[in-house]
Amino acid sequence: MSHLAPLISDLALILMCAGIMTLIFKKLKQPLVLGYIVAGFMASPHFEFTPSVTDSANIQTWSEIGVIFLLFALGLEFSFKKLMRVGGSAVISACTIILCMICIGVSVGWMFGWKQMDCIYLGGMLAMSSTTIIYKAFDDMGLRQQRFAGLVLSILILEDILAIVLMVMLSTMAVSQNFEGGEMIYSLSKLVFFLVLWFVVGIYLIPLFLKRMRKLMNNETLLIMSLGLCFGMVVLAAKVGFSPAFGAFIMGSILAETVESEHIDKLVAPVKDLFGAIFFVSVGMMVDPAMIVEYKFPILAIVLAVLLGQTIFGTAGVLLSGQPLKTAMQCGFSLTQIGEFAFIIASLGVSLNVTSSFLYPIVVAVSVITTFLTPYMIRLSQPAYQFVNRHVPERWMRLLDRYSSGTQGMDHSSNWKKLLSAIVRITLVYTVLSIAMTLFCLHVVVPLLTDLLGDLPGRIAGAVVTVGAVSPFLRALIMKKNRSLEFKALWSDNRFNHAPLISLILLRIVIAISFLVFIIEELFQASAALVTGIAIVVVALIIFSRFLKKQSIVLERTFVQNLRSKEMHQVFLGEKRPEYAGKLLDRDLHLSDYVISADSSWAGKTLRELNLGNKFGVHVASIIRGTHRVNIPDGNSCIFPNDTIQVIGTDEQLSHFAAAAEKVADACRDDDFEKYEMQLKQFVIGRHSDLAGKTIGNSGIRAHFHCLIVGVEFSGDNLLRTPEVNMVLGAGDIVWVVGEERNLNKLFLAEVEAEKNRVAEEK
C-alpha cells in the first residue's frame, strides 16, 4: 500500500469541507468567507465529529501563499489613476474613519488590560471594513447604483491602500519594538522611496516587455509570467524589509496599468480562489470555542465598538468631507463590519509572534457577528436618518446643509498650486530614480569595473558611467516645468513672482549638484571646493546638452505612454469615452455610442447612402467593429451589423437620430416567425410541365420561387440523386424541394396552371 503524504490528505479534508460549506452558505445567501471559516473549524481539532488536519504547519505555509494571491488580485483591481479620481470626500472620510477606529481598538484592548502590541494590532484590525462583504451586500440589496454606494466603494479603495501602509508600519513596529517618531519617519520614508521606485520602473519596463513578448504569450505563458513577476516582487519586498503581501500588492497594481490586466485577472482568479480558500480555512482552524466562551465579554465589547464606532465616525467623516447628512449616515451604517484585512493583519501578528493567542479567534468571532449584521445595519440607516431629522434642531440641519453645499462647491485651484504640486511630484520621482541609480552603480557597477580595470582606472570609468546614468534624471529634475504654461503665466503676471520662480529653479540645481558631489566624494578623495567646482561644471553641461534633453524626453514619453496604454486601449475598443468627448460639452455637443442592430436596414449601406449628416445634422466620428476601429470614416465606409458608431451632435440632433435608428430597426423586425418555417416537399414533373427538358439552373425554381432542389428521383429509378445545376429534368421525375410554405405553394400552383394551359392548347 502506497504512503500518502499528510499534506495531500489534509488538503483533501479542507477542500472537501470548504466545498460542502460553500454550497450551504451559497444556498443561505451568505458570504462565502464565512463558509470557509466554518469549514476550517470543522477541519480543526476543536471539532470532534470530523477528521482533523494532522500537519497544520504546512497548511499555514499554504495560507501565507493565499495571502499573497489575495493581495496580488487586490492589486490587479486597484489603480493609481482610480485612486486619484476618488475625490476629496473619500480621502477625508477614509482617513477620519481609520484614525478614529485605531484609537477605539487600542482603547478597548487597554480597558481589558491587554499588552501594548495586542492593543495596536486590534486597532489595525478594526480600522478596515470588508470590501468583499460590502460589495456582496450592495449587490444583494440592489444598491450598487445609488449615490452613497459609489462613495462607500471609493472609501474602500482608499482603505485597502492604507491597509497596506498600516501592515508595513505594524511589521516595522513588531520587528524593531521601537515606537519612537524617528523610527516611524524612517519607515515611512523608506516606504515612499520603494513605492515610487517600483511603480516608476515597473510601469516603464513591464509594459514594454509584455508588448515585445505578446506574440509568444498564450494563456499558460501569461499566467506563469504574471505569477513569476508576483513572487519575484514578493522576494524583493522581503529582502528590503517589507511584508511579502506588500510586494504582491505592488506587482498587482503595476500590472493593473497594463493592457493585459483584465486578462491576467481572469487567469489568476482560479488560483487566487483556491489559495484564498485555504487561507480562510486556516483562519477558521484557529477558532477555539472554549476561548470564545472565555472571552465572550471582550468579543461583545469589540462588536459594539465596531458597530457604534463605524456608525458614528463613518458618518462624521463623510459629513466632514462635505456630504449631506443622509448620505453620510448611509455610508456610516454600511461600513459596520471587519473582514479579510482583519484576518491578514491578525495572521501577520501571529507570524511575527507579537500578538497573544486569544486575539485571532476573538477577531474571527467579531467578524462573523458583524458580517451577519451588515444587511440589517444598511437597512437601519434610513429610519435612523428619519429619527435624527425629526429630533435634531432645525438650525443645526440648516447649518449642515450650508456646510455640505459650500464644501462641494469650493475650488482652490491656481497657477501656483498647479506649478508647485507638479514640481514636488517631479522632484520626488527623479530624486528617487537618481538615488536608486547612484546606489546601483556605486555598489554593483563600480566594483565590477575596478576588478576588470584596476583601482584608479576602474573608479574613473565608474564615475563616468554613474554620472552618465544619472544625468537624464538630473536634467529632468532641473528643467521640467520651467517653460510650462503656469510658469509663464506667473512670470508675466507679476514681477514679484520672479524671485520665487528663480528660487525654485536654483533649489533643483542645488539638489543636482549635491548628487554629483556625493558621487565624486564616494569615488575620489579631493577637496570640497574642487569637488563642488567639478559638480557645477557637469551640471552646466547637463543643462545645455541636447542629447540628454532628447533622452529625458524619450524616457518620460515612454513612461506616460505605458501609463496610458490601458486607457487608450479601452478608448480604442469603445469601452471608454475619449478625452475630447468631455470638452464637447462646452459647445453644447455630445458624443454618443449607437450599436447597429443585426436587423437594421442601415446595415450593409455606406455613409454616403445613409446621408446621416444631412438628415439629422450629426457627424459620425468613429466606427468600432470588434477590435478594429475606423476614425473619421469617409462616405465609402460601410456599416455592418453589430458595429458601434460614435456620433457627435447636440442633444436634439442625437435624440432624433436615436429615435430614427430604433424606428428603422423596429420596421425591419418581423415577429411573425411562423411564416419563415422551412419545409421539405416533393412533386412529380408532369408530361406537359414547363420544367421538363430544362436544367435545374434554368428552371427558375430558385430564382423565381426561392426554393431549393435537394434531390431528384428519375422516372423508373428509385435512387435519390444529388442534383447539380446542369442536371436536366424530365417528365415523371420526382423532385424534392425545400422552401417556405408560401413559396412552395406558389411553385406547385404554377406547375398546376402550366399543366392546365398546355393541355388546353393541345385540345
Side-chain angles (χ1 to χ4, degrees):
M1 182 176 178
S2 61
H3 175 69
L4 189 65
L7 177 62
I8 298 176
S9 58
D10 289 345
L11 186 61
L13 175 63
I14 64 176
L15 290 181
M16 288 174 62
C17 293
I20 294 171
M21 295 312 301
T22 51
L23 293 176
I24 295 174
F25 274 70
K26 193 76 172 178
K27 181 69 174 178
L28 297 175
K29 297 182 178 181
Q30 295 298 324
L32 296 184
V33 173
L34 298 181
Y36 292 139
I37 293 173
V38 174
F41 173 69
M42 291 174 58
S44 69
H46 305 297
F47 192 74
E48 301 176 354
F49 304 102
T50 58
S52 302
V53 169
T54 57
D55 192 352
S56 58
N58 281 330
I59 301 301
Q60 186 63 32
T61 302
W62 282 49
S63 70
E64 292 176 4
I65 298 175
V67 174
I68 291 172
F69 278 113
L70 285 173
L71 270 296
F72 181 60
L74 180 63
L76 285 172
E77 297 174 359
F78 176 79
S79 170
F80 285 95
K81 288 182 287 188
K82 186 189 296 184
L83 178 63
M84 300 303 294
R85 290 194 293 264
V86 296
S89 294
V91 174
I92 296 172
S93 304
C95 293
T96 303
I97 293 169
I98 290 174
L99 290 175
C100 293
M101 290 306 298
I102 289 176
C103 294
I104 287 179
V106 172
S107 301
V108 171
W110 176 76
M111 286 173 53
F112 287 101
W114 296 346
K115 65 180 184 179
Q116 188 177 33
M117 198 61 73
D118 287 337
C119 297
I120 294 173
Y121 269 77
L122 178 62
M125 296 174 203
L126 302 190
M128 308 298 164
S129 299
S130 173
T131 304
T132 304
I133 294 168
I134 293 176
Y135 262 76
K136 185 183 184 304
F138 283 169
D139 279 335
D140 293 344
M141 302 172 71
L143 300 175
R144 284 286 297 274
Q145 303 305 319
Q146 293 198 15
R147 176 188 172 188
F148 84 93
L151 180 56
V152 170
L153 298 180
S154 298
I155 293 173
L156 292 173
I157 291 172
L158 280 169
E159 285 192 350
D160 289 341
I161 184 64
L162 292 175
I164 302 297
V165 177
L166 183 61
M167 287 174 59
V168 173
M169 295 176 63
L170 290 174
S171 301
T172 304
M173 294 167 61
V175 172
S176 65
Q177 294 292 325
N178 191 348
F179 302 95
E180 294 180 358
E183 182 71 21
M184 294 308 301
I185 292 174
Y186 169 75
S187 300
L188 289 176
S189 301
K190 179 181 173 183
L191 173 64
V192 172
F193 174 81
F194 281 104
L195 268 177
V196 174
L197 177 63
W198 288 338
F199 180 72
V200 173
V201 175
I203 291 297
Y204 184 82
L205 294 178
I206 291 177
L208 289 178
F209 173 76
L210 293 177
K211 189 181 296 183
R212 298 283 175 84
M213 298 292 108
R214 186 168 295 165
K215 293 182 179 179
L216 303 177
M217 291 283 188
N218 56 17
N219 288 346
E220 181 180 359
T221 54
L222 183 60
L223 174 62
I224 299 302
M225 181 58 63
S226 303
L227 296 183
L229 291 171
C230 170
F231 280 90
M233 184 59 78
V234 164
V235 174
L236 184 59
K239 291 286 186 183
V240 298
F242 297 128
S243 67
F246 176 71
F249 176 83
I250 292 299
M251 181 50 65
S253 62
I254 292 173
L255 291 175
E257 303 296 345
T258 64
V259 174
E260 290 81 6
S261 60
E262 294 181 2
H263 192 189
I264 295 173
D265 192 18
K266 292 178 182 177
L267 293 175
V268 172
V271 186
K272 182 258 296 184
D273 291 340
L274 171 63
F275 285 97
I278 295 174
F279 167 70
F280 288 116
V281 168
S282 69
V283 171
M285 289 171 60
M286 301 189 70
V287 175
D288 185 355
M291 191 171 291
I292 291 176
V293 172
E294 181 182 354
Y295 288 92
K296 55 182 178 296
F297 295 113
I299 290 174
L300 292 176
I302 295 172
V303 169
L304 289 175
V306 172
L307 296 179
L308 295 178
Q310 288 284 10
T311 300
I312 295 172
F313 294 112
T315 300
V318 178
L319 266 179
L320 186 63
S321 70
Q323 297 297 324
L325 178 61
K326 182 177 180 181
T327 302
M329 292 188 68
Q330 288 175 315
C331 293
F333 277 76
S334 300
L335 298 168
T336 53
Q337 72 291 119
I338 60 174
E340 52 275 3
F341 261 113
F343 304 144
I344 293 172
I345 293 175
S347 65
L348 178 66
V350 171
S351 63
L352 296 174
N353 295 319
V354 294
T355 55
S356 303
S357 59
F358 61 81
L359 193 58
Y360 209 131
I362 285 178
V363 169
V364 173
V366 171
S367 174
V368 171
I369 296 172
T370 55
T371 298
F372 278 119
L373 294 176
T374 294
Y376 303 102
M377 293 297 294
I378 295 175
R379 293 192 185 99
L380 186 61
S381 63
Q382 191 69 23
Y385 167 72
Q386 294 173 354
F387 176 82
V388 171
N389 194 31
R390 286 195 304 267
H391 292 82
V392 171
E394 187 176 346
R395 58 190 181 87
W396 288 16
M397 295 299 295
R398 288 199 302 268
L399 180 63
L400 289 174
D401 291 339
R402 283 200 304 272
Y403 176 77
S404 61
S405 60
T407 305
Q408 290 170 331
M410 287 192 297
D411 183 14
H412 297 295
S413 62
S414 65
N415 286 329
W416 269 116
K417 180 181 177 181
K418 293 177 182 177
L419 181 64
L420 290 175
S421 61
I423 289 177
V424 169
R425 183 174 63 251
I426 289 166
T427 304
L428 174 64
V429 170
Y430 285 108
T431 299
V432 168
L433 292 175
S434 300
I435 292 173
M437 186 60 70
T438 300
L439 294 176
F440 175 78
C441 290
L442 292 178
H443 292 87
V444 177
V445 177
V446 172
L448 181 63
L449 290 175
T450 53
D451 290 341
L452 293 175
L453 304 176
D455 185 43
L456 183 59
R459 280 187 285 145
I460 294 173
V464 173
V465 171
T466 305
V467 172
V470 174
S471 295
F473 305 138
L474 295 183
R475 191 189 189 283
L477 188 150
I478 296 170
M479 301 302 294
K480 287 291 293 181
K481 286 295 178 180
N482 289 347
R483 295 183 178 180
S484 63
L485 295 176
E486 296 85 4
F487 191 97
K488 292 178 180 178
L490 290 169
W491 185 273
S492 60
D493 181 53
N494 193 329
R495 63 187 180 87
F496 293 106
N497 290 335
H498 293 185
L501 292 173
I502 294 173
S503 299
L504 288 174
I505 298 174
L506 292 176
L507 176 62
R508 289 184 282 165
I509 291 176
V510 169
I511 294 174
I513 292 174
S514 301
F515 270 103
L516 296 177
V517 168
F518 174 79
I519 293 171
I520 297 171
E521 283 187 343
E522 282 290 312
L523 296 176
F524 306 100
Q525 299 295 328
S527 65
L530 178 61
V531 170
T532 305
I534 295 173
I536 292 173
V537 172
V538 174
V539 166
L541 294 175
I542 289 173
I543 292 174
F544 293 104
S545 172
R546 291 185 175 273
F547 174 76
L548 291 178
K549 178 181 179 181
K550 182 179 179 180
Q551 288 297 110
S552 62
I553 291 174
V554 169
L555 289 172
E556 184 170 354
R557 186 175 296 167
T558 303
F559 175 81
V560 173
Q561 185 175 356
N562 290 344
L563 187 61
R564 296 183 63 237
S565 60
K566 179 179 178 181
E567 188 174 343
M568 293 166 63
H569 189 252
Q570 291 174 332
V571 172
F572 176 79
L573 297 178
E575 298 173 357
K576 189 175 182 179
R577 291 292 186 89
E579 285 187 16
Y580 76 86
K583 299 177 182 178
L584 292 173
L585 296 175
D586 298 336
R587 296 165 178 80
D588 195 28
L589 294 174
H590 303 274
L591 178 73
S592 294
D593 295 353
Y594 295 93
V595 179
I596 303 300
S597 62
D599 50 6
S600 174
S601 63
W602 290 358
K605 294 183 179 180
T606 63
L607 293 179
R608 182 175 288 108
E609 292 173 326
L610 295 174
N611 199 19
L612 301 177
N614 289 335
K615 290 181 179 178
F616 306 104
V618 298
H619 304 280
V620 179
S622 302
I623 299 175
I624 303 171
R625 185 175 300 133
T627 57
H628 181 64
R629 184 185 183 97
V630 180
N631 289 326
I632 319 300
D634 57 19
N636 296 322
S637 298
C638 189
I639 293 179
F640 293 102
N642 298 320
D643 278 358
T644 298
I645 59 174
Q646 293 187 329
V647 183
I648 297 176
T650 64
D651 286 337
E652 184 178 358
Q653 291 168 342
L654 292 175
S655 63
H656 290 162
F657 174 82
E662 294 176 3
K663 187 175 180 181
V664 166
D666 290 338
C668 296
R669 189 179 296 115
D670 196 339
D671 294 329
D672 191 9
F673 57 87
E674 296 173 348
K675 65 183 180 182
Y676 294 103
E677 182 184 10
M678 299 281 282
Q679 297 181 0
L680 173 66
K681 292 188 177 182
Q682 64 185 39
F683 70 96
V684 180
I685 298 178
R687 186 166 55 89
H688 302 289
S689 173
D690 290 338
L691 300 178
K694 291 184 178 181
T695 64
I696 292 177
N698 296 328
S699 65
I701 291 178
R702 182 162 189 163
H704 300 305
F705 299 101
H706 303 290
C707 295
L708 178 66
I709 298 177
V710 295
V712 178
E713 295 181 22
F714 292 105
S715 55
D717 188 357
N718 293 327
L719 181 63
L720 183 68
R721 305 287 180 88
T722 302
E724 296 180 357
V725 177
N726 297 324
M727 182 181 291
V728 179
L729 301 175
D733 290 347
I734 301 175
V735 181
W736 293 79
V737 188
V738 170
E740 296 175 7
E741 184 177 9
R742 55 183 176 176
N743 292 327
L744 290 173
N745 292 335
K746 290 180 183 178
L747 173 61
F748 299 155
L749 182 61
E751 277 295 291
V752 172
E753 291 294 332
E755 186 78 16
K756 288 182 180 179
N757 293 336
R758 188 65 62 84
V759 171
E761 290 175 1
E762 290 181 356
K763 290 183 178 180

